[in-house]
Amino acid sequence: MQSSFWLDKWKADQIGFHLPEAHPLLKKFYQQVFDGVQDVFVPLCGKSVDMSFLHAQQISVVGAELSPIAVADFFTEQFPGQEVSSQVLNGSSLAQPSSGLILQSSIDNLRLLIGDYFALEQSMLFSVSQSNEPFPVTGIYDRAALIALPDTVRSEYVKQLVKLIPAASMLLITLDYEQQAMNGPPFSVTQDEVEGLFEFANIKILSRKNIIDKEPRFKDKGLSAFYESVYHIRW
Ligand SMILES: C[S@@+](CC[C@H](N)C(=O)[O-])C[C@H]1O[C@@H](n2cnc3c(N)ncnc32)[C@H](O)[C@@H]1O
């Protein structure tokens, strides 16, 4: 999936994936998965309200998102009137942005990196604790990130995740359905695929439900089953 696909979606405000409130399954499982975790990385974060939810639980958040529109909207909508600082992280200048440009926008303990997830470096994820000692991010929250990617890049996504965060406790929410009946995104990612992608890790399934009756836009596409699953993955 080309970057332009997502950048165009944000420009056209076609963001049916965005939820107005924190995800109920994050609320249900975050304490279990992020027990003892101080920092959570949110790849492909959009302008997810889930990040403000985690931040409100005193967890530091680092999100990564391609679209500057999503990031600007996030701060305007979630933290109106609050001063947001911005910084270029990878040496490119704002006046002459390169394709690898990574910017960060932040308020206290909540930073969004603007750029390509696959171009991120581990040092960009380090946050600064109150004692000004850097410490690594150890939590990962993935809702609609893995399932936003076509199958050809999902293993690259996982490789990059492990490179960025060598020891992690991850809350992963996926969807699976009959892929032939509909084109993604969201793509169908089955339990077998999750087990294959994370074969090096400890995987526990926390929940799996058919939510088709709550998803009229997918029912209208002819689907009779639409499973939402939650995993706790540790490595
Ligand atoms: C389906 S949306 C999910 C957003 C968010 N996780 C949520 O739950 O609302 C996928 C997001 O990933 C972003 N994205 C896609 N490819 C990306 C990449 N290579 N690097 C960073 N962000 C990317 C898109 O712009 C989009 O906002």
Side-chain angles (χ1 to χ4, degrees), residues 49-124:
V49 177
D50 296 342
M51 295 189 285
S52 352
F53 172 80
L54 289 169
H55 185 248
Q57 316 309 316
Q58 316 305 322
I59 293 173
S60 298
V61 174
V62 183
E65 169 55 47
L66 207 50
S67 165
I69 297 175
V71 172
D73 283 0
F74 173 79
F75 286 112
T76 313
E77 292 167 12
Q78 298 296 308
F79 298 92
Q82 214 157 310
E83 196 174 328
V84 179
S85 65
S86 289
Q87 195 188 335
V88 178
L89 291 186
N90 68 350
S92 306
S93 83
L94 266 181
Q96 288 182 313
S98 71
S99 56
L101 178 71
I102 308 275
L103 279 171
Q104 73 167 16
S105 285
S106 59
I107 59 166
D108 265 3
N109 295 329
L110 203 165
R111 290 186 301 137
L112 300 194
L113 306 174
I114 310 167
D116 182 5
Y117 164 81
F118 294 97
L120 293 179
E121 290 161 22
Q122 198 186 24
S123 60
M124 296 171 180

